[in-house]
Amino acid sequence: MADVDTEQGAKKRWIGAEHPRYKWVALSNTTLGMLIATINSSIVLISLPAIFNGIHLNPLEPGNVSYLLWMLMGYMLVTAVLVVTLGRLGDIWGRVRIYNAGFLIFTITSVILSLDPMDGGGGALWLIGWRVVQAVGGAMLMANSAAIITDAFPAKQRGMALGVNMVAAIAGSFIGLVLGGVLAEWNWRSIFWVNVPIGIIGTVWAYRSLHETGIRRPGKIDWWGNISFAVGLTALLAGITYGIQPYGGHTMGWTNPWVLTGLIGGAAVLVAFCLIEMKTAEPMFPLRLFRDPVFAGGNLATLLGSIARGGLQFMLIIWLQGIWLPLHGYEYEQTPLWAGIYLVPLTVGFLAAGPVSGYLSDRFGARLFAAGGLVVMAASFAGLLILPTDFGYVWFALLVFLNGLGGGLFAAPNTALVMSSVPAADRGAASGMRATFQNAGMVLSIGVFFSLMVAGLAGSLPQTLSDGLTGQGVSPADAHAVAQLPPVGTLFAAFLGYNPIHELLGPQVLAGLPAANAQTLTGREFFPHLISGPFHDGLMVVFSLAIAMSLVAALASLLRGPKTAPAEPGGEGGAAAAPDGDPAVSRGAA
């Protein structure tokens, strides 16, 4: 009798897949997984100055810029490349199995990253290499979390559930900015330590509580598709990223043979990948899904929205760290932390709108919420365009809050539209494809928006910089030499929280100036006043493109599909919502 009671007690402690509360267990664990994976992409971003100081490496020296670029983009690039493959493997081997392995890999690599035993270039390579491995774990989490939720929830609650999950994912990239700034002030290794206890809890919880509830479709691995996709996307994204580096006397590297090889070769390999997938019986990237306008439009909106959001993140960090914070009394070394703090309204907007829009889109339809969120984002970009570079913070906070609100309104309904437009057996692949577009957009934003900003600065910054330096006693030859340096160096210096003029002139030139002039040049006000005009010229180009991208994405979100959803077997969490987000169809099917 005691044995029977013990067995019944164990069954009560661990919720089975058929239990009404299991869907909440799946939602809470996958949300934790998405949160930790996306926090980790931005926590390093804001902590780069502390990391490079910790390993005693100056990333702005010409030979070290590649370390900086790979620390910026390595994690995002690997997740963008692998999420489709890992989502497809989830369809074949089990989504929970792949997801759980991702939590384990992510946790182990966090420990290894924190133990970096080397300095200089070796220390940077250790971090870059293990961040790539960690990105494999992060991609496993990203590729399968939305599919696990879609399997677990009925159609009438799916928008709300995906909203919580997606807002956690997107907000994680902004939470990481604040968390990284705080932790880096204490110890740079702590940005990796923080993942360990969360990872252990999440891993054990996932292995003990998650169950396979989706349909597994046995199949073969599409090796040629996987290889061609990985090679093509990596070459293309790496080429775009390296295009922002100067080459051969040019301010950017678009004429660099290696960059051109990456761009042209990567595009050609991706074309070959599409041809391979059309002729493969079991493709990793089911191109047939794009015949559905809702799936195609939702993924286009995801890509464009991600590029615009990533560009906003980088530009606001440079704006705050290079201009606004120094003008308001903050030392350059303090600016990474305070930039994260002053961007809190952006995160609050995401957190406020996401779950609410998911719940409301379940009741009233997803399409208008998704498109409306992007229009709100476009309006916030327009507001930032007319804001002076030395703005009043209340207006800035309201505009970035509005941008976060728009992103939160868009995220959940768009994800629900994409995931509900595909057959149940393809959900792992569809989840990975959606994550690919989102992560690729973040990587593309580095190349696209830095290039646009450099182009905007190149016209006016050299003369402004030369005049300002000679006015403070710098010799015309030295001023001319500094003014001709590529603007990307100035942007990176501001982005990393370094004193830009100190980095540009160097200690030898500064030592030859009168003490008062040297103090003025390296003070908190000279550089912000000098660059504010040219920087605003660059912002006009950047935010104008962001407005256009947001509006095109809004139109893509309005595309309608067939009136009936793909057939969904019992046990898959209820019938799928209609792809056009019609609540009446969703409720009727459920």
Side-chain angles (χ1 to χ4, degrees):
M1 191 66 168
D3 292 339
V4 173
D5 291 341
T6 302
E7 183 178 349
Q8 290 177 344
K11 289 180 179 179
K12 289 180 181 178
R13 283 195 298 271
W14 299 108
I15 296 176
E18 71 287 346
H19 196 285
R21 289 202 299 269
Y22 171 72
K23 59 189 177 184
W24 303 111
V25 173
L27 174 61
S28 53
N29 189 276
T30 54
T31 298
L32 178 65
M34 289 295 289
L35 188 65
I36 193 173
T38 53
I39 283 177
N40 203 63
S41 66
S42 61
I43 197 172
V44 169
L45 184 73
I46 204 72
S47 306
L48 283 174
I51 291 173
F52 284 119
N53 286 334
I55 61 176
H56 307 107
L57 180 72
N58 181 1
L60 296 180
E61 291 181 0
N64 295 336
V65 174
S66 290
Y67 296 132
L68 172 61
L69 288 177
W70 279 100
M71 287 290 287
L72 278 174
M73 75 171 200
Y75 184 90
M76 293 184 286
L77 177 60
V78 172
T79 53
V81 168
L82 290 182
V83 283
V84 174
T85 300
L86 294 169
R88 179 73 182 103
L89 290 178
D91 289 336
I92 297 172
W93 293 341
R95 294 156 194 166
V96 169
R97 178 181 295 178
I98 301 297
Y99 174 88
N100 291 352
F103 237 138
L104 182 61
I105 293 171
F106 192 92
T107 305
I108 293 172
T109 51
S110 295
V111 176
I112 297 173
L113 282 162
S114 69
L115 299 176
D116 187 349
M118 292 178 280
D119 277 345
L125 288 174
W126 175 283
L127 294 175
I128 291 168
W130 284 109
R131 282 270 290 170
V132 166
V133 179
Q134 187 179 53
V136 176
M140 290 178 169
L141 296 174
M142 294 178 189
N144 292 282
S145 62
I148 291 172
I149 291 173
T150 307
D151 289 338
F153 276 83
K156 62 183 179 181
Q157 294 180 315
R158 196 170 288 157
M160 176 277 301
L162 288 169
V164 172
N165 187 259
M166 290 310 302
V167 169
I170 298 173
S173 64
F174 295 106
I175 293 171
L177 297 177
V178 180
L179 187 60
V182 172
L183 293 175
E185 286 285 303
W186 171 43
N187 189 306
W188 70 269
R189 297 178 190 269
S190 64
I191 66 171
F192 303 115
W193 294 337
V194 72
N195 294 328
V196 177
I198 300 173
I200 291 173
I201 293 170
T203 302
V204 174
W205 182 17
Y207 273 101
R208 296 300 300 266
S209 62
L210 295 183
H211 307 283
E212 296 286 359
T213 60
I215 291 179
R216 288 165 61 177
R217 188 173 64 187
K220 297 179 180 179
I221 298 176
D222 175 18
W223 290 111
W224 284 112
N226 278 276
I227 293 170
S228 58
F229 181 74
V231 171
L233 189 60
T234 300
L236 184 64
L237 295 180
I240 290 172
T241 305
Y242 273 90
I244 66 177
Q245 283 192 256
Y247 174 78
H250 300 285
T251 57
M252 289 180 283
W254 299 113
T255 57
N256 186 331
W258 288 107
V259 170
L260 292 173
T261 300
L263 295 175
I264 299 171
V269 173
L270 288 177
V271 171
F273 160 75
C274 292
L275 297 175
I276 291 169
E277 295 302 273
M278 287 191 289
K279 296 181 180 181
T280 301
E282 299 180 22
M284 63 159 283
F285 208 111
L287 296 178
R288 57 184 163 75
L289 297 180
F290 287 99
R291 296 172 188 165
D292 187 317
V294 175
F295 183 82
N299 279 300
L300 176 61
T302 297
L303 176 66
L304 294 177
S306 182
I307 295 174
R309 189 170 57 249
L312 174 78
Q313 189 179 72
F314 287 114
M315 292 305 108
L316 291 187
I317 290 173
I318 294 172
W319 194 350
L320 289 171
Q321 293 184 189
I323 298 176
W324 194 84
L325 287 169
L327 284 178
H328 289 259
Y330 294 89
E331 300 293 341
Y332 282 100
E333 295 78 10
Q334 299 174 315
T335 57
L337 168 62
W338 286 99
I341 292 173
Y342 278 110
L343 286 175
V344 164
L346 191 64
T347 305
V348 172
F350 270 112
L351 296 176
V356 174
S357 72
Y359 172 77
L360 293 177
S361 67
D362 284 335
R363 293 175 59 85
F364 303 110
R367 293 168 56 255
L368 290 179
F369 280 92
L374 290 164
V375 172
V376 171
M377 284 180 63
S380 70
F381 283 122
L384 289 168
L385 265 181
I386 62 176
L387 205 64
T389 48
D390 187 14
F391 49 78
Y393 180 70
V394 172
W395 290 107
F396 177 84
L398 287 173
L399 286 170
V400 296
F401 173 81
L402 189 66
N403 191 279
L405 199 71
L409 288 172
F410 163 73
N414 180 70
T415 305
L417 285 169
V418 170
M419 294 303 298
S420 295
S421 67
V422 300
D426 286 319
R427 282 179 184 160
S431 178
M433 292 157 81
R434 183 201 54 77
T436 291
F437 285 108
Q438 180 171 305
N439 294 336
M442 291 297 292
V443 180
L444 282 170
S445 69
I446 297 176
V448 171
F449 284 94
F450 265 99
S451 296
L452 290 173
M453 178 57 73
V454 169
L457 289 175
S460 52
L461 181 61
Q463 189 62 47
T464 303
L465 194 57
S466 180
D467 292 345
L469 293 176
T470 53
Q472 290 297 322
V474 177
S475 70
D478 287 333
H480 178 75
V482 169
Q484 297 307 307
L485 291 174
V488 70
T490 305
L491 291 179
F492 277 147
F495 180 73
L496 292 169
Y498 294 159
N499 188 318
I501 296 296
H502 188 277
E503 293 293 327
L504 291 172
L505 288 178
Q508 291 184 338
V509 175
L510 289 170
L513 296 174
N517 294 75
Q519 186 174 2
T520 298
L521 287 170
T522 57
R524 290 193 299 264
E525 295 190 3
F526 178 81
F527 177 76
H529 283 307
L530 190 73
I531 200 178
S532 58
F535 182 79
H536 193 266
D537 294 340
L539 279 184
M540 293 289 290
V541 179
V542 167
F543 286 156
S544 295
L545 182 62
I547 291 170
M549 286 184 172
S550 299
L551 294 178
V552 171
L555 292 175
S557 297
L558 293 173
L559 294 176
R560 288 182 179 271
K563 291 297 182 183
T564 56
E568 184 172 354
E572 278 284 302
D580 66 354
D582 187 335
V585 176
S586 298
R587 286 194 296 271

